[in-house]
Amino acid sequence: MLFERPLLFLHAFSGDEARQLLLQESDLAVVILDLAMERAGSRLDLVHFTRHTAGLRNSRIILLSGRQGQEPALDALIEHDISDCRTREELSRERLHVSVATAVRAYKQLCVSDTSRVGLERVLRSSASLLELKDHHEFASGVLTQLAALLKVEKVGVVCAQEAANPDGCYFVQAATGRFSELIGRSLERLPQTAELGLLRKAAESRSSVYGAKSGLALHIGHEDGQKFVAFIDVPRHHAVLHPPLLDVFCANLSTLLHDRGLLGRLNESAQHDPLVNLPNRAHFVGAVDECARQGLHDRILALIDIDDFSATNDLMGHLFGDRLLERVARCLEDALPGNVLLARLGADTFGVLGATGQVQPRRLLECVRGPLRIDGVPYKVSLTCGYVLLPQVFRTGADLVKDATIALRRAKRDRRGHELQYSDQMGAEARSRALLLSELRVAIENRELFLVYQPQLDLATRSVVGIEALLRWRTKDGRFVPPDQFIPVAEHSGLIVALGRWVLMAACATMRELMDAGDAPRRMAVNVSTVQLQDPGFLEIVCTALASNGLRGEHLELEITESVAALPTELLISALSALRAEGVSIAIDDFGTGYSSLSYLEQLPLDRIKIDRSFVCQLGEADGARIAEMVVQLGRKLGLGVLAEGIEDADVCRALLAMDCREGQGYHIARPMDKKVLLAWLRAHCRNPDAESRQPPALPSVHVSFDSRGGAVFGTEEPASPILPAASSSSRHAAPGRGRHTCA
Ligand code: C2E
Ligand code: CA
Ligand code: CA
């Protein structure tokens, strides 16, 4: 035994036998050659054979000579890597043992460094393979693949990249596998505080590789002044497939490749480039705007151009067609712009333009797609909308300026499709306050600050209650009321209205049930529904659930929609409304006359009632003021629809309406919106004495609302005193005529 391994002696008794043996064995530690075996004149033939023909580079060779002076010259010893040379007389038993032991030890070391060399080759090959990768994600996941292969472990790990062009920037997870896979996209600071992931933080801080005390290993890749990566890979404790110095070589090599061979540049380029339309992407664009702003270039315009109805085209014509359309539009814009104007693709169907004000004219730019585009031979008409901002004197970052242009674009999309709109500070202030309002609304919903109030609708001739309109209220914790005209458009714009509207329906139906149980229920409960809700494919089911879970029939519910439904595709609208009516639900058109939908359009819709807008009703007292109201009443009669006047504030108006044969109405003159308990009292009193005029009831508790985490509605407990809109401030708040619930975004 030598060094814990058995020692095996093989013997050859002639040069030829020796040659055969040398060819058969690949793991010979020591070759002891007796020079007497060699033919005269070619004493080192066997040595040469051992090294070159048998390829035994690491085997140690000990030469035995018959007498002093027979041993080869020193340079031959060196050339053939001969470890030792002895005469037979010299070689005692002990001496041979020492010589063999020394040779075996040397052989072992050589083999180890051989593994290192092979490892090194693998390391170099694997880092070179990473050169082919196209972007940060690919690179990061390539690092994991190569590390796992090098270390011969499973690919379980995390790779983070530092924000480009910021030596102190955050690291974000670019690739993660195995049990870490859900960490992708997170910043290093926000990763779970485990010992394993702690290694990543240590590697990032120390800018060197860190070995875990128990398991795991974190590497640092990248140069001091360039972008950096840190990689964690799960390796068992004392894992020794690859020597630690080789891992350092792997890291150093990758760092150099990243730096010298322009890999990082290419990775960055792809991080800055949109391959589909072959244009710079958002990151590049924002950077360029930033640069412009930093240089104080004010005669610059930043325009965002969006393809109208692109997602509908995509759905209808398929994504391939959508891609071609994007390419065509990109080329049209490119052709319409001078070469020194930057054109980029910022999002799905949004392009960004940055150039001198003299060179970019938004209106002209929109005309670059005036004729139909030919896509796959098919002529296709598109229209573009543009929002733009002129770079201001005061410094704003690139990201802020793009945000400003986005605000103008959104506004243009809503009010001026197919046209351009310039950003103004007022627009920005409004958008920001809407964003603020939205976040406050979310909190308000959590805090159960929203509730319903109810306003009776009367048959004006008999004064019997025919219906009740449910109206949403938001009372903040400090007692302030936020008017629905303000928060409902925000809820609509954000989509929150779908969940909120579902709760309104549920709560209104629950109240209807209570009124029925109390024996005071009118024929129907009217609920306001926004266009966004109608578009929701689940809307019919929501309505049916609200009815069924309160034991109501469709006839007990009326939905009030506005003329803005005209924005919906006619077929979709007609089928949605027809399905509701098939359930017995009636449909009223609210704020009638304030929108711009054509009568012929309204004629097609399955409707039951028209509500004359308050702005026309309040003019009834004035000379000529009755004209529009009268026309609406006649129109309703012609179309076979019921007519209800809203905003009746005094007895004269009520009489005027009756005179023109408007049968139904609601308004402060009859009753203000009330919360549920007050409503119950009002209904009871009204039944006893229908001719009594408006009383302002005392404040009472009301139903509150909150949402569960999935956006589903949760009914609130009855909370202490939540007064209904105070009379004094309410009339001024509601006096503004002509506002609809879809007028602001
Ligand atoms: P709307 O549907 O036209 O509701 C009638 C509005 O007129 C209510 O304002 C009501 O309080 C007010 N009003 C009633 N009688 C009189 C009167 O005699 N004089 C005056 N000056 N005003 C009167 P409110 O509650 O502020 O609601 C404003 C709008 O907010 C509603 O207009 C409706 O468009 C929307 N809205 C309210 N609740 C909801 C809801 O639950 N869902 C949706 N989608 N919209 C709602
Ligand atoms: Ca209404
Ligand atoms: Ca109305």
mmCIF file of all heavy atoms in Angstrom, residues 123-164:
data_model
loop_
_atom_site.group_PDB
_atom_site.id
_atom_site.type_symbol
_atom_site.label_atom_id
_atom_site.label_comp_id
_atom_site.label_asym_id
_atom_site.label_seq_id
_atom_site.Cartn_x
_atom_site.Cartn_y
_atom_site.Cartn_z
ATOM 1 N N VAL A 123 -13.947 25.126 -18.242
ATOM 2 C CA VAL A 123 -14.320 26.463 -17.776
ATOM 3 C C VAL A 123 -14.251 27.453 -18.935
ATOM 4 O O VAL A 123 -15.174 28.241 -19.156
ATOM 5 C CB VAL A 123 -13.385 26.908 -16.626
ATOM 6 C CG1 VAL A 123 -13.422 28.405 -16.446
ATOM 7 C CG2 VAL A 123 -13.804 26.218 -15.344
ATOM 8 N N LEU A 124 -13.185 27.370 -19.687
ATOM 9 C CA LEU A 124 -13.025 28.314 -20.790
ATOM 10 C C LEU A 124 -14.088 28.083 -21.849
ATOM 11 O O LEU A 124 -14.678 29.015 -22.372
ATOM 12 C CB LEU A 124 -11.624 28.191 -21.403
ATOM 13 C CG LEU A 124 -10.485 28.555 -20.451
ATOM 14 C CD1 LEU A 124 -9.149 28.485 -21.162
ATOM 15 C CD2 LEU A 124 -10.689 29.956 -19.879
ATOM 16 N N ARG A 125 -14.316 26.788 -22.128
ATOM 17 C CA ARG A 125 -15.322 26.479 -23.138
ATOM 18 C C ARG A 125 -16.695 26.979 -22.682
ATOM 19 O O ARG A 125 -17.441 27.565 -23.440
ATOM 20 C CB ARG A 125 -15.370 24.978 -23.408
ATOM 21 C CG ARG A 125 -15.102 24.658 -24.872
ATOM 22 C CD ARG A 125 -15.176 23.173 -25.146
ATOM 23 N NE ARG A 125 -14.075 22.439 -24.534
ATOM 24 C CZ ARG A 125 -14.226 21.419 -23.692
ATOM 25 N NH1 ARG A 125 -15.430 21.016 -23.341
ATOM 26 N NH2 ARG A 125 -13.192 20.804 -23.184
ATOM 27 N N SER A 126 -17.008 26.752 -21.395
ATOM 28 C CA SER A 126 -18.344 27.127 -20.948
ATOM 29 C C SER A 126 -18.492 28.648 -20.912
ATOM 30 O O SER A 126 -19.540 29.172 -21.254
ATOM 31 C CB SER A 126 -18.665 26.504 -19.598
ATOM 32 O OG SER A 126 -17.800 27.024 -18.637
ATOM 33 N N SER A 127 -17.439 29.370 -20.551
ATOM 34 C CA SER A 127 -17.623 30.825 -20.559
ATOM 35 C C SER A 127 -17.725 31.345 -21.986
ATOM 36 O O SER A 127 -18.473 32.265 -22.258
ATOM 37 C CB SER A 127 -16.543 31.547 -19.746
ATOM 38 O OG SER A 127 -15.324 30.890 -19.828
ATOM 39 N N ALA A 128 -16.989 30.677 -22.910
ATOM 40 C CA ALA A 128 -17.080 31.132 -24.308
ATOM 41 C C ALA A 128 -18.484 30.903 -24.848
ATOM 42 O O ALA A 128 -19.002 31.704 -25.621
ATOM 43 C CB ALA A 128 -16.052 30.406 -25.151
ATOM 44 N N SER A 129 -19.127 29.796 -24.399
ATOM 45 C CA SER A 129 -20.459 29.507 -24.941
ATOM 46 C C SER A 129 -21.458 30.597 -24.539
ATOM 47 O O SER A 129 -22.453 30.820 -25.217
ATOM 48 C CB SER A 129 -20.936 28.144 -24.461
ATOM 49 O OG SER A 129 -21.249 28.231 -23.097
ATOM 50 N N LEU A 130 -21.165 31.259 -23.437
ATOM 51 C CA LEU A 130 -22.075 32.314 -22.986
ATOM 52 C C LEU A 130 -22.003 33.555 -23.879
ATOM 53 O O LEU A 130 -22.862 34.418 -23.832
ATOM 54 C CB LEU A 130 -21.754 32.704 -21.542
ATOM 55 C CG LEU A 130 -22.095 31.625 -20.521
ATOM 56 C CD1 LEU A 130 -21.583 32.001 -19.149
ATOM 57 C CD2 LEU A 130 -23.594 31.417 -20.461
ATOM 58 N N LEU A 131 -20.952 33.609 -24.675
ATOM 59 C CA LEU A 131 -20.797 34.753 -25.577
ATOM 60 C C LEU A 131 -21.905 34.844 -26.607
ATOM 61 O O LEU A 131 -22.174 35.903 -27.158
ATOM 62 C CB LEU A 131 -19.477 34.610 -26.337
ATOM 63 C CG LEU A 131 -18.306 35.343 -25.742
ATOM 64 C CD1 LEU A 131 -17.062 35.029 -26.518
ATOM 65 C CD2 LEU A 131 -18.563 36.839 -25.762
ATOM 66 N N GLU A 132 -22.528 33.705 -26.889
ATOM 67 C CA GLU A 132 -23.527 33.684 -27.962
ATOM 68 C C GLU A 132 -24.877 34.215 -27.500
ATOM 69 O O GLU A 132 -25.776 34.377 -28.296
ATOM 70 C CB GLU A 132 -23.722 32.250 -28.470
ATOM 71 C CG GLU A 132 -22.435 31.577 -28.925
ATOM 72 C CD GLU A 132 -21.677 32.444 -29.906
ATOM 73 O OE1 GLU A 132 -22.320 33.036 -30.793
ATOM 74 O OE2 GLU A 132 -20.443 32.560 -29.766
ATOM 75 N N LEU A 133 -25.017 34.431 -26.208
ATOM 76 C CA LEU A 133 -26.359 34.724 -25.711
ATOM 77 C C LEU A 133 -26.775 36.161 -25.998
ATOM 78 O O LEU A 133 -25.947 37.055 -26.089
ATOM 79 C CB LEU A 133 -26.427 34.423 -24.224
ATOM 80 C CG LEU A 133 -26.081 32.960 -23.953
ATOM 81 C CD1 LEU A 133 -26.055 32.680 -22.479
ATOM 82 C CD2 LEU A 133 -27.060 32.047 -24.655
ATOM 83 N N LYS A 134 -28.101 36.319 -26.134
ATOM 84 C CA LYS A 134 -28.590 37.569 -26.696
ATOM 85 C C LYS A 134 -28.959 38.642 -25.667
ATOM 86 O O LYS A 134 -28.863 39.808 -25.943
ATOM 87 C CB LYS A 134 -29.810 37.282 -27.581
ATOM 88 C CG LYS A 134 -29.435 36.573 -28.871
ATOM 89 C CD LYS A 134 -30.543 36.660 -29.906
ATOM 90 C CE LYS A 134 -31.783 35.894 -29.532
ATOM 91 N NZ LYS A 134 -31.628 34.424 -29.530
ATOM 92 N N ASP A 135 -29.465 38.242 -24.520
ATOM 93 C CA ASP A 135 -29.852 39.293 -23.583
ATOM 94 C C ASP A 135 -29.533 38.879 -22.153
ATOM 95 O O ASP A 135 -29.037 37.784 -21.901
ATOM 96 C CB ASP A 135 -31.326 39.673 -23.740
ATOM 97 C CG ASP A 135 -32.247 38.508 -23.478
ATOM 98 O OD1 ASP A 135 -31.898 37.676 -22.631
ATOM 99 O OD2 ASP A 135 -33.299 38.413 -24.116
ATOM 100 N N HIS A 136 -29.830 39.792 -21.234
ATOM 101 C CA HIS A 136 -29.484 39.555 -19.840
ATOM 102 C C HIS A 136 -30.088 38.278 -19.282
ATOM 103 O O HIS A 136 -29.445 37.550 -18.555
ATOM 104 C CB HIS A 136 -29.977 40.743 -18.998
ATOM 105 C CG HIS A 136 -29.053 41.899 -19.082
ATOM 106 N ND1 HIS A 136 -29.488 43.169 -19.321
ATOM 107 C CD2 HIS A 136 -27.728 41.973 -18.993
ATOM 108 C CE1 HIS A 136 -28.449 43.972 -19.357
ATOM 109 N NE2 HIS A 136 -27.373 43.273 -19.159
ATOM 110 N N HIS A 137 -31.350 38.039 -19.641
ATOM 111 C CA HIS A 137 -32.013 36.849 -19.107
ATOM 112 C C HIS A 137 -31.313 35.593 -19.591
ATOM 113 O O HIS A 137 -31.033 34.685 -18.826
ATOM 114 C CB HIS A 137 -33.480 36.818 -19.542
ATOM 115 C CG HIS A 137 -34.309 37.823 -18.829
ATOM 116 N ND1 HIS A 137 -34.609 37.716 -17.503
ATOM 117 C CD2 HIS A 137 -34.874 38.962 -19.261
ATOM 118 C CE1 HIS A 137 -35.334 38.761 -17.134
ATOM 119 N NE2 HIS A 137 -35.506 39.527 -18.190
ATOM 120 N N GLU A 138 -31.045 35.578 -20.893
ATOM 121 C CA GLU A 138 -30.379 34.407 -21.471
ATOM 122 C C GLU A 138 -29.006 34.224 -20.847
ATOM 123 O O GLU A 138 -28.589 33.117 -20.553
ATOM 124 C CB GLU A 138 -30.226 34.580 -22.988
ATOM 125 C CG GLU A 138 -31.438 34.137 -23.757
ATOM 126 C CD GLU A 138 -31.136 34.030 -25.241
ATOM 127 O OE1 GLU A 138 -29.951 34.026 -25.619
ATOM 128 O OE2 GLU A 138 -32.094 33.958 -26.013
ATOM 129 N N PHE A 139 -28.306 35.340 -20.693
ATOM 130 C CA PHE A 139 -26.967 35.269 -20.125
ATOM 131 C C PHE A 139 -27.042 34.691 -18.711
ATOM 132 O O PHE A 139 -26.311 33.773 -18.353
ATOM 133 C CB PHE A 139 -26.328 36.658 -20.103
ATOM 134 C CG PHE A 139 -24.958 36.673 -19.478
ATOM 135 C CD1 PHE A 139 -23.866 36.175 -20.161
ATOM 136 C CD2 PHE A 139 -24.780 37.169 -18.201
ATOM 137 C CE1 PHE A 139 -22.603 36.175 -19.579
ATOM 138 C CE2 PHE A 139 -23.522 37.179 -17.613
ATOM 139 C CZ PHE A 139 -22.432 36.675 -18.312
ATOM 140 N N ALA A 140 -27.965 35.238 -17.933
ATOM 141 C CA ALA A 140 -28.084 34.809 -16.546
ATOM 142 C C ALA A 140 -28.434 33.329 -16.471
ATOM 143 O O ALA A 140 -27.852 32.576 -15.689
ATOM 144 C CB ALA A 140 -29.138 35.652 -15.843
ATOM 145 N N SER A 141 -29.372 32.908 -17.326
ATOM 146 C CA SER A 141 -29.751 31.502 -17.211
ATOM 147 C C SER A 141 -28.639 30.626 -17.783
ATOM 148 O O SER A 141 -28.423 29.502 -17.305
ATOM 149 C CB SER A 141 -31.133 31.258 -17.817
ATOM 150 O OG SER A 141 -31.045 30.712 -19.057
ATOM 151 N N GLY A 142 -27.869 31.173 -18.748
ATOM 152 C CA GLY A 142 -26.696 30.461 -19.259
ATOM 153 C C GLY A 142 -25.654 30.268 -18.170
ATOM 154 O O GLY A 142 -25.034 29.199 -18.065
ATOM 155 N N VAL A 143 -25.454 31.269 -17.334
ATOM 156 C CA VAL A 143 -24.477 31.161 -16.243
ATOM 157 C C VAL A 143 -24.877 30.001 -15.320
ATOM 158 O O VAL A 143 -24.046 29.184 -14.931
ATOM 159 C CB VAL A 143 -24.389 32.486 -15.448
ATOM 160 C CG1 VAL A 143 -23.626 32.290 -14.143
ATOM 161 C CG2 VAL A 143 -23.720 33.568 -16.288
ATOM 162 N N LEU A 144 -26.187 29.928 -15.031
ATOM 163 C CA LEU A 144 -26.650 28.836 -14.162
ATOM 164 C C LEU A 144 -26.420 27.471 -14.806
ATOM 165 O O LEU A 144 -25.960 26.532 -14.151
ATOM 166 C CB LEU A 144 -28.148 29.003 -13.874
ATOM 167 C CG LEU A 144 -28.532 29.856 -12.678
ATOM 168 C CD1 LEU A 144 -30.039 29.806 -12.476
ATOM 169 C CD2 LEU A 144 -27.820 29.379 -11.421
ATOM 170 N N THR A 145 -26.759 27.383 -16.099
ATOM 171 C CA THR A 145 -26.590 26.110 -16.805
ATOM 172 C C THR A 145 -25.123 25.683 -16.773
ATOM 173 O O THR A 145 -24.809 24.535 -16.461
ATOM 174 C CB THR A 145 -27.024 26.271 -18.284
ATOM 175 O OG1 THR A 145 -28.313 26.859 -18.291
ATOM 176 C CG2 THR A 145 -27.054 24.939 -18.999
ATOM 177 N N GLN A 146 -24.233 26.632 -17.089
ATOM 178 C CA GLN A 146 -22.820 26.292 -17.160
ATOM 179 C C GLN A 146 -22.256 25.949 -15.788
ATOM 180 O O GLN A 146 -21.472 25.017 -15.649
ATOM 181 C CB GLN A 146 -22.025 27.458 -17.772
ATOM 182 C CG GLN A 146 -22.373 27.740 -19.218
ATOM 183 C CD GLN A 146 -22.151 26.521 -20.112
ATOM 184 O OE1 GLN A 146 -21.314 25.688 -19.828
ATOM 185 N NE2 GLN A 146 -22.915 26.432 -21.180
ATOM 186 N N LEU A 147 -22.673 26.700 -14.788
ATOM 187 C CA LEU A 147 -22.196 26.423 -13.431
ATOM 188 C C LEU A 147 -22.623 25.030 -12.990
ATOM 189 O O LEU A 147 -21.821 24.270 -12.439
ATOM 190 C CB LEU A 147 -22.783 27.444 -12.457
ATOM 191 C CG LEU A 147 -21.947 28.681 -12.187
ATOM 192 C CD1 LEU A 147 -22.698 29.609 -11.251
ATOM 193 C CD2 LEU A 147 -20.605 28.293 -11.563
ATOM 194 N N ALA A 148 -23.893 24.708 -13.254
ATOM 195 C CA ALA A 148 -24.403 23.397 -12.856
ATOM 196 C C ALA A 148 -23.604 22.303 -13.565
ATOM 197 O O ALA A 148 -23.235 21.297 -12.952
ATOM 198 C CB ALA A 148 -25.887 23.299 -13.190
ATOM 199 N N ALA A 149 -23.296 22.523 -14.856
ATOM 200 C CA ALA A 149 -22.554 21.524 -15.612
ATOM 201 C C ALA A 149 -21.121 21.405 -15.079
ATOM 202 O O ALA A 149 -20.602 20.307 -14.903
ATOM 203 C CB ALA A 149 -22.557 21.882 -17.092
ATOM 204 N N LEU A 150 -20.503 22.533 -14.810
ATOM 205 C CA LEU A 150 -19.125 22.524 -14.327
ATOM 206 C C LEU A 150 -19.016 21.818 -12.985
ATOM 207 O O LEU A 150 -18.099 21.057 -12.721
ATOM 208 C CB LEU A 150 -18.618 23.966 -14.152
ATOM 209 C CG LEU A 150 -18.180 24.695 -15.409
ATOM 210 C CD1 LEU A 150 -17.837 26.137 -15.072
ATOM 211 C CD2 LEU A 150 -16.973 24.011 -16.021
ATOM 212 N N LEU A 151 -19.997 22.121 -12.124
ATOM 213 C CA LEU A 151 -19.938 21.586 -10.769
ATOM 214 C C LEU A 151 -20.575 20.211 -10.675
ATOM 215 O O LEU A 151 -20.548 19.583 -9.619
ATOM 216 C CB LEU A 151 -20.647 22.546 -9.806
ATOM 217 C CG LEU A 151 -19.997 23.918 -9.671
ATOM 218 C CD1 LEU A 151 -20.940 24.903 -9.019
ATOM 219 C CD2 LEU A 151 -18.721 23.810 -8.857
ATOM 220 N N LYS A 152 -21.168 19.803 -11.791
ATOM 221 C CA LYS A 152 -21.891 18.520 -11.819
ATOM 222 C C LYS A 152 -22.935 18.457 -10.707
ATOM 223 O O LYS A 152 -23.009 17.489 -9.940
ATOM 224 C CB LYS A 152 -20.909 17.349 -11.718
ATOM 225 C CG LYS A 152 -19.919 17.296 -12.889
ATOM 226 C CD LYS A 152 -19.370 15.892 -13.069
ATOM 227 C CE LYS A 152 -18.620 15.722 -14.364
ATOM 228 N NZ LYS A 152 -17.251 16.252 -14.356
ATOM 229 N N VAL A 153 -23.720 19.532 -10.594
ATOM 230 C CA VAL A 153 -24.833 19.533 -9.641
ATOM 231 C C VAL A 153 -26.102 19.895 -10.405
ATOM 232 O O VAL A 153 -26.043 20.251 -11.578
ATOM 233 C CB VAL A 153 -24.636 20.575 -8.504
ATOM 234 C CG1 VAL A 153 -23.478 20.181 -7.618
ATOM 235 C CG2 VAL A 153 -24.439 21.970 -9.071
ATOM 236 N N GLU A 154 -27.239 19.802 -9.707
ATOM 237 C CA GLU A 154 -28.490 20.175 -10.354
ATOM 238 C C GLU A 154 -28.542 21.682 -10.527
ATOM 239 O O GLU A 154 -27.948 22.426 -9.746
ATOM 240 C CB GLU A 154 -29.663 19.734 -9.487
ATOM 241 C CG GLU A 154 -30.109 18.333 -9.815
ATOM 242 C CD GLU A 154 -31.412 18.028 -9.126
ATOM 243 O OE1 GLU A 154 -32.415 18.689 -9.466
ATOM 244 O OE2 GLU A 154 -31.401 17.176 -8.224
ATOM 245 N N LYS A 155 -29.311 22.098 -11.554
ATOM 246 C CA LYS A 155 -29.361 23.532 -11.844
ATOM 247 C C LYS A 155 -30.376 24.181 -10.902
ATOM 248 O O LYS A 155 -31.539 24.396 -11.253
ATOM 249 C CB LYS A 155 -29.779 23.701 -13.315
ATOM 250 C CG LYS A 155 -29.712 25.114 -13.822
ATOM 251 C CD LYS A 155 -30.040 25.111 -15.316
ATOM 252 C CE LYS A 155 -30.540 26.442 -15.784
ATOM 253 N NZ LYS A 155 -30.973 26.408 -17.172
ATOM 254 N N VAL A 156 -29.957 24.464 -9.689
ATOM 255 C CA VAL A 156 -30.829 25.103 -8.699
ATOM 256 C C VAL A 156 -30.102 26.353 -8.216
ATOM 257 O O VAL A 156 -29.100 26.251 -7.511
ATOM 258 C CB VAL A 156 -31.094 24.158 -7.511
ATOM 259 C CG1 VAL A 156 -31.929 24.861 -6.457
ATOM 260 C CG2 VAL A 156 -31.812 22.906 -7.996
ATOM 261 N N GLY A 157 -30.575 27.491 -8.615
ATOM 262 C CA GLY A 157 -29.859 28.706 -8.220
ATOM 263 C C GLY A 157 -30.537 29.971 -8.678
ATOM 264 O O GLY A 157 -31.651 29.956 -9.208
ATOM 265 N N VAL A 158 -29.858 31.071 -8.447
ATOM 266 C CA VAL A 158 -30.388 32.408 -8.743
ATOM 267 C C VAL A 158 -29.260 33.234 -9.357
ATOM 268 O O VAL A 158 -28.130 33.180 -8.878
ATOM 269 C CB VAL A 158 -30.811 33.134 -7.444
ATOM 270 C CG1 VAL A 158 -31.434 34.488 -7.749
ATOM 271 C CG2 VAL A 158 -31.761 32.289 -6.636
ATOM 272 N N VAL A 159 -29.574 34.004 -10.395
ATOM 273 C CA VAL A 159 -28.586 34.955 -10.917
ATOM 274 C C VAL A 159 -29.216 36.343 -10.952
ATOM 275 O O VAL A 159 -30.329 36.520 -11.457
ATOM 276 C CB VAL A 159 -28.105 34.568 -12.335
ATOM 277 C CG1 VAL A 159 -27.137 35.610 -12.875
ATOM 278 C CG2 VAL A 159 -27.418 33.209 -12.312
ATOM 279 N N CYS A 160 -28.524 37.319 -10.383
ATOM 280 C CA CYS A 160 -29.023 38.696 -10.390
ATOM 281 C C CYS A 160 -28.108 39.556 -11.240
ATOM 282 O O CYS A 160 -26.887 39.374 -11.218
ATOM 283 C CB CYS A 160 -29.017 39.294 -8.994
ATOM 284 S SG CYS A 160 -29.904 38.343 -7.788
ATOM 285 N N ALA A 161 -28.689 40.514 -11.937
ATOM 286 C CA ALA A 161 -27.885 41.477 -12.692
ATOM 287 C C ALA A 161 -28.093 42.844 -12.089
ATOM 288 O O ALA A 161 -29.194 43.193 -11.654
ATOM 289 C CB ALA A 161 -28.320 41.493 -14.147
ATOM 290 N N GLN A 162 -27.013 43.607 -12.096
ATOM 291 C CA GLN A 162 -27.121 44.965 -11.592
ATOM 292 C C GLN A 162 -27.739 45.830 -12.673
ATOM 293 O O GLN A 162 -27.559 45.580 -13.860
ATOM 294 C CB GLN A 162 -25.729 45.476 -11.273
ATOM 295 C CG GLN A 162 -25.724 46.692 -10.405
ATOM 296 C CD GLN A 162 -24.297 47.179 -10.221
ATOM 297 O OE1 GLN A 162 -23.466 47.002 -11.092
ATOM 298 N NE2 GLN A 162 -24.025 47.781 -9.104
ATOM 299 N N GLU A 163 -28.486 46.843 -12.268
ATOM 300 C CA GLU A 163 -29.032 47.800 -13.232
ATOM 301 C C GLU A 163 -27.899 48.292 -14.125
ATOM 302 O O GLU A 163 -26.823 48.612 -13.625
ATOM 303 C CB GLU A 163 -29.575 49.027 -12.503
ATOM 304 C CG GLU A 163 -30.922 48.829 -11.900
ATOM 305 C CD GLU A 163 -31.286 50.041 -11.049
ATOM 306 O OE1 GLU A 163 -30.466 50.429 -10.203
ATOM 307 O OE2 GLU A 163 -32.345 50.591 -11.256
ATOM 308 N N ALA A 164 -28.187 48.362 -15.422
ATOM 309 C CA ALA A 164 -27.149 48.776 -16.358
ATOM 310 C C ALA A 164 -26.692 50.194 -16.048
ATOM 311 O O ALA A 164 -27.448 51.009 -15.532
ATOM 312 C CB ALA A 164 -27.693 48.699 -17.772
#
